Amino acid sequence: MAKDHFIPASLIARFSEETDGEVRRRKVWVARSNGSRAKVRAESVGYANGLYDVDQDMFPTRGHRAVDDVWGSYEPQISRVLDRLIDGSVTATEWVDTLLPFVAAPFGRDRGYKERVAGRLVRHASGGSQIADFDITEFILDDTNIALNRVMEMERFAARALASMWEVIEVDGDLILPDLGYGFDLINEYPDVMMMLYPIGRRHLLTLTPCPQRRILKRSPDRWVPDISYGKSLVSSDDINRVLASTAQDFVVGSNAAIDGIRTEDFAIFNWDGIDEVLEQWPFNIDTLSLSGLHRVVQAIVHDELKTLEGVLLSRHKSLSDLEPNGLFLAPSGGIRADQVLALDKAGLVLTAHRSQTKPSG
């Protein structure tokens, strides 16, 4: 049975104090919620067996590893592109092809995703906390359906990432990496605005903060440039690490110095259901499901495959139909027009995630 890493080994290895040898075999310290600590190879932690397997009969081209292939489309480039993100040289192509999937995938890759979906069904069930139709629930929670929904979740969070300000922050000490790959911090209430936190190296943190309107790409004479800012943290790495540990369900990895400040009571302040409730928060009036498919459109613009937004629709299900090139995928037609949220001008590409509410005249 395949070992499916819910955190890429190449990302885990970035928190090692070792710099020589094969990246996946570099050793990191692991602190677990039960208080145990050990130094292990990056490839030996952060996986579950057969986590992303799907019904092979549904995917004759790629077989039962069809969904795992999605993660494989960006994983080999992660470490190199994160280095370029940190030094400020990342290109628009690297940003749209590797970094956007990187920041979006953790929300569909985690080993608690099925539990999160089950909790979501209960929270949104009408008429009480029990779901009336057991057959429908069983169908939704089928392993293949869960695996396919992981891909759609990735597309949804790629759109959220596009509708966020990106900042790379240098910190004063070593960071941990929680077993979700991210953390979050409430930076505004009413509406609630959650800043997403991604440790991308021992001393660097990537933050994504929802923004109602922003220029996501700038034009230069011969290329696109992603809008990313840089700064130094005013908060200590110890404080950041405690925030990151609050989402960790079982373990965190890092250098010996980083995990030394983590206590067992810092773990899992949010359980799977609590994490999902936090992730449902979105402060803008264009919902994230409507924005699904945005990544594909921006990708086409960066790759010079799309010159105009006229007649372009955001396709929520394109990522699923791409899983099986020889299959027939039936899904509801429609979707919002790309030009309802995106605007191309001489300066670049602007994304609007919040429509102003205008009062009728008279």
Side-chain angles (χ1 to χ4, degrees):
M1 187 175 289
K3 291 181 177 179
D4 289 334
H5 276 86
F6 46 86
I7 302 182
S10 58
L11 176 62
I12 293 173
R14 294 179 64 82
F15 296 84
S16 171
E17 295 167 282
E18 299 177 2
T19 56
D20 297 326
E22 184 183 349
V23 171
R24 295 171 61 91
R25 298 180 67 84
R26 291 176 187 170
K27 291 187 175 181
V28 293
W29 282 94
V30 178
R32 296 193 177 273
S33 56
N34 62 7
S36 68
R37 300 188 179 196
K39 196 174 186 181
V40 302
R41 294 196 307 270
E43 64 185 359
S44 69
V45 68
Y47 69 86
N49 292 326
L51 189 60
Y52 308 123
D53 286 358
V54 294
D55 184 346
Q56 186 164 319
D57 293 338
M58 293 178 61
F59 300 93
T61 302
R62 292 193 172 99
H64 70 284
R65 305 298 292 162
V67 168
D68 191 63
D69 286 349
V70 175
W71 325 134
S73 67
Y74 70 89
E75 269 195 20
Q77 306 300 322
I78 286 176
S79 195
R80 178 186 65 82
V81 174
L82 286 179
D83 285 342
R84 289 174 61 83
L85 174 65
I86 288 169
D87 69 23
S89 65
V90 70
T91 67
T93 300
E94 291 167 333
W95 173 74
V96 79
D97 290 350
T98 301
L99 290 179
L100 273 171
F102 165 74
V103 300
F107 304 100
R109 284 186 71 163
D110 67 60
R111 66 196 186 282
Y113 183 67
K114 185 173 184 176
E115 187 174 338
R116 284 171 49 208
V117 171
R120 197 180 300 174
L121 291 174
V122 171
R123 288 199 308 277
H124 297 292
S126 58
S129 61
Q130 298 299 316
I131 301 176
D133 196 325
F134 176 80
D135 289 338
I136 292 177
T137 303
E138 189 176 34
F139 174 76
I140 292 172
L141 297 179
D142 170 78
D143 287 344
T144 292
N145 281 331
I146 286 294
L148 295 178
N149 273 284
R150 292 177 184 274
V151 178
M152 293 184 67
E153 195 89 342
M154 177 179 174
E155 288 296 310
R156 176 187 171 203
F157 277 88
R160 287 177 59 147
L162 284 165
S164 297
M165 295 182 295
W166 291 49
E167 184 173 16
V168 176
I169 298 175
E170 184 179 355
V171 299
D172 63 354
D174 286 357
L175 293 172
I176 62 165
L177 177 70
D179 56 8
L180 268 68
Y182 64 86
F184 41 69
D185 193 19
L186 180 67
I187 62 171
N188 186 77
E189 291 187 280
Y190 315 114
D192 290 347
V193 177
M194 305 300 302
M195 174 192 285
M196 303 309 303
L197 313 173
Y198 300 85
I200 56 174
R202 284 173 55 192
R203 295 293 177 95
H204 288 89
L205 185 74
L206 171 63
T207 67
L208 269 61
T209 306
C211 182
Q213 184 179 76
R214 76 180 195 98
R215 188 171 300 281
I216 60 177
L217 288 167
K218 303 173 186 175
R219 289 187 193 266
S220 72
D222 60 346
R223 60 194 175 100
W224 291 102
V225 179
D227 186 14
I228 302 170
S229 60
Y230 292 80
K232 291 185 180 291
S233 177
L234 300 177
V235 180
S236 73
S237 59
D238 288 341
D239 289 339
I240 295 172
N241 283 340
R242 279 190 283 274
V243 172
L244 292 170
S246 69
T247 65
Q249 300 302 293
D250 179 41
F251 68 87
V252 300
V253 304
S255 65
N256 188 41
I259 71 167
D260 195 47
I262 300 300
R263 308 161 299 172
T264 56
E265 55 265 35
D266 295 327
F267 281 86
I269 292 175
F270 298 91
N271 60 17
W272 289 120
D273 200 45
I275 288 168
D276 206 66
E277 285 191 89
V278 170
L279 295 180
E280 284 186 339
Q281 304 303 314
W282 185 243
F284 308 135
N285 58 13
I286 301 180
D287 66 82
T288 54
L289 286 178
S290 295
L291 292 173
S292 292
L294 190 62
H295 176 215
R296 300 301 183 98
V297 175
V298 175
Q299 196 170 35
I301 291 171
V302 170
H303 286 279
D304 205 26
E305 297 166 353
L306 194 61
K307 300 292 188 181
T308 177
L309 297 171
E310 185 177 354
V312 177
L313 295 177
L314 301 186
S315 175
R316 182 187 307 178
H317 301 96
K318 183 68 165 60
S319 57
L320 293 185
S321 60
D322 285 351
L323 286 179
E324 182 44 63
N326 295 323
L328 176 63
F329 185 82
L330 300 178
S333 60
I336 68 171
R337 299 195 321 268
D339 61 8
Q340 290 181 273
V341 292
L342 289 173
L344 279 165
D345 58 27
K346 292 181 179 179
L349 181 65
V350 176
L351 170 63
T352 300
H354 189 81
R355 295 192 184 101
S356 60
Q357 302 296 316
T358 57
K359 296 181 181 180
S361 60

